[in-house]
Amino acid sequence: LARVALLNISASRPALPDPDHYTPDLEACLMMACHQQALQDRDPQRMAGNQMLATLVLEVLERGRLSGALKPDLLWTRLPTHEQLVSLLVCLASNDFTIWDELLVAAGFGIYPLGAILNHSCEPNCVLYYEARTHRQIIRCIADVRQGEELSHAYIDIAAPSHQRRARLESSYFFTCRCPRCLAPPQHLDLRLEGGGGEEAEEA
C-alpha cells in the first residue's frame, strides 16, 4: 500500500499516458468495483483493519518526509487521502488477479483494472492468462462471441456445485450469481460434482 502511495507521488511519473501502452494508475484502480459498504456490514473487523493499515501507511510516509529519509522531489500534493487508501484496500480484495505461470503455478498477484471490468459467469466465454516475461494479462475467447455479446470469465472454480459456487461468490465478491448455469434447474452434473452419483453411477 505504501508503494502505491509512493508511486502516485513520484516525480518520475509521466505527466501524460503513453497512448501505445496502458499503465494503470491510482485513479484507474479506485474506479474498480468497490464493495466498501458491504464489507462494513458483513465484516466490520476487517474493515477496521483496513482503516488502521491506511492510517499506519500515512504516518510512516509523513515520518519519512519529515526526517528526510524519502526523496525531496516527491509531489506530496498527490499523496492519497486516508479515505482513498481504505477504498483501494477494499478494491484490491475483490479485484486482484493471481498470476499463473505456464505450469499453472501461482507466481504472484497483480492489479489489472481493464481485466477487472469483466463480469463473472459460471459458463465463461473467456479465460485470462499472463505473458511469462512481462506478466501482461491476456484475455482470450474460448467460445464464439457474437457482436455485442458480453465477455465474461470465471472468478472462481466452476467445477464446484452450484450452491458452493454461489456461496463463494457472495462471500468474496458480494453478489448472487445469476448466470444461465446457476439459474438452471438442478442438474445431474451438480449431483456428480457433489459425489452423489446418479443413474449412471448406480448402474456401474
Side-chain angles (χ1 to χ4, degrees):
L1 191 62
R3 185 184 179 195
V4 171
L6 285 171
L7 287 173
N8 199 60
I9 63 177
S10 173
S12 61
R13 174 187 173 190
L16 295 175
D18 182 352
D20 297 323
H21 182 72
Y22 173 73
T23 302
D25 55 14
L26 177 66
E27 289 76 17
C29 291
L30 290 174
M31 289 178 65
M32 297 186 299
C34 182
H35 307 284
Q36 195 160 333
Q37 187 58 54
L39 182 61
Q40 177 65 50
D41 295 340
R42 298 189 186 186
D43 195 346
Q45 184 175 2
R46 181 178 175 186
M47 192 64 187
N50 288 341
Q51 293 170 344
M52 291 178 61
L53 182 57
T55 299
L56 178 61
V57 166
L58 291 176
E59 288 180 354
V60 169
L61 293 176
E62 178 63 13
R63 291 183 182 182
R65 183 179 71 86
L66 294 176
S67 67
L70 297 175
K71 294 180 180 180
D73 60 344
L74 294 177
L75 305 177
W76 290 97
T77 56
R78 293 204 306 227
L79 182 68
T81 65
H82 183 272
E83 182 180 357
Q84 286 178 320
L85 290 180
V86 172
S87 295
L88 183 61
L89 284 170
V90 178
C91 287
L92 299 187
S94 299
N95 292 281
D96 63 335
F97 291 87
T98 302
I99 300 174
W100 306 96
D101 63 16
E102 62 276 8
L103 298 177
L104 296 181
V105 175
F109 296 89
I111 302 301
Y112 300 87
L114 291 182
I117 295 175
L118 297 181
N119 282 323
H120 164 84
S121 175
C122 297
E123 292 183 335
N125 54 21
C126 292
V127 294
L128 307 179
Y129 71 100
Y130 302 86
E131 289 185 346
R133 184 178 62 85
T134 65
H135 293 160
R136 185 173 67 167
Q137 186 182 72
I138 307 295
I139 301 172
R140 174 169 290 176
C141 293
I142 56 175
D144 293 334
V145 178
R146 301 184 304 275
Q147 183 176 358
E149 181 181 355
E150 180 183 14
L151 300 181
S152 62
H153 75 108
Y155 292 2
I156 58 171
D157 181 6
I158 57 175
S162 297
H163 70 91
Q164 291 183 12
R165 297 195 311 272
R166 299 185 93 178
R168 171 72 188 282
L169 290 167
E170 287 198 20
S171 64
S172 299
Y173 299 97
F174 307 103
F175 73 90
T176 300
C177 185
R178 300 187 181 280
C179 73
R181 184 176 169 192
C182 283
L183 292 178
Q187 300 177 9
H188 186 65
L189 176 60
D190 270 354
L191 295 176
R192 295 181 65 84
L193 290 171
E194 291 182 313
E199 294 180 0
E200 294 181 4
E202 293 175 358
E203 290 174 1

